[in-house]
Amino acid sequence: YLFFVDYGLDNRTPRGYVFDMERLRLVDGPFTVAHGVGSSSSRNGVPTRFSNRPGSKATSLGLYVAQETYTFHGRAGGRPYTSVGLRLDGESVGFNDAARRRRLVSHGAPYVTSRDAGRSEGCPAIEPHRARRLLPLLANGGVVFLFSPLDTRWLRQDPWINARG
């Protein structure tokens, strides 16, 4: 399975897709996906800043390999919540390879709705009901690709964008 997000769009625009790569079909999408609070200056803006730096609260672009699911615990609006989480290993050296250290994961979040994805601490968060259904499909070897046409350095330097087969 492949989870693809186009961060060239604002967080009110559905920008996430999950594909079944064996059957070459769309499983779900488009749907809303959160970006990091450190990636845009306004709540509903298009993310323009991306970082691999711990503490940046920004989204990290590039290719990830999905690992195990687990019980995610978060806070939204001061209230605790629980959802499914999916650990991610960043494969784009220099762009997302600090994902484990930064604790970047995909997870369900109550601040993500069909109309507004809110902002996370850098995680590609999705609606809780979608997380329960989609994240287990990706676990243990699925691929997550976070894309933006707005980061020219990443577009020039990420080895997964510039790989020649």
Side-chain angles (χ1 to χ4, degrees), residues 77-150:
R79 293 188 165 168
Y81 70 91
T82 302
S83 181
V84 63
L86 177 67
R87 289 196 170 91
L88 303 173
D89 281 342
E91 300 295 327
S92 294
V93 176
F95 294 98
N96 69 10
D97 57 342
R100 280 283 188 158
R101 194 164 11 112
R102 292 184 62 201
R103 295 188 177 125
L104 291 184
V105 300
S106 189
H107 61 85
Y111 54 81
V112 181
T113 69
S114 62
R115 289 191 239 175
D116 180 1
R119 292 187 292 173
S120 66
E121 292 189 5
C123 300
I126 62 178
E127 294 170 86
H129 74 277
R130 277 199 166 85
R132 283 189 298 276
R133 187 168 45 85
L134 298 175
L135 298 184
L137 296 176
L138 291 154
N140 303 310
V143 175
V144 177
F145 195 76
L146 306 183
F147 170 82
S148 175
L150 305 175

Side-chain angles (χ1 to χ4, degrees), residues 2 17 24 63 85 109 121 133 162 165:
L2 165 67
Y17 301 83
L24 298 177
L63 180 76
E121 292 189 5
R133 187 168 45 85
N162 296 294

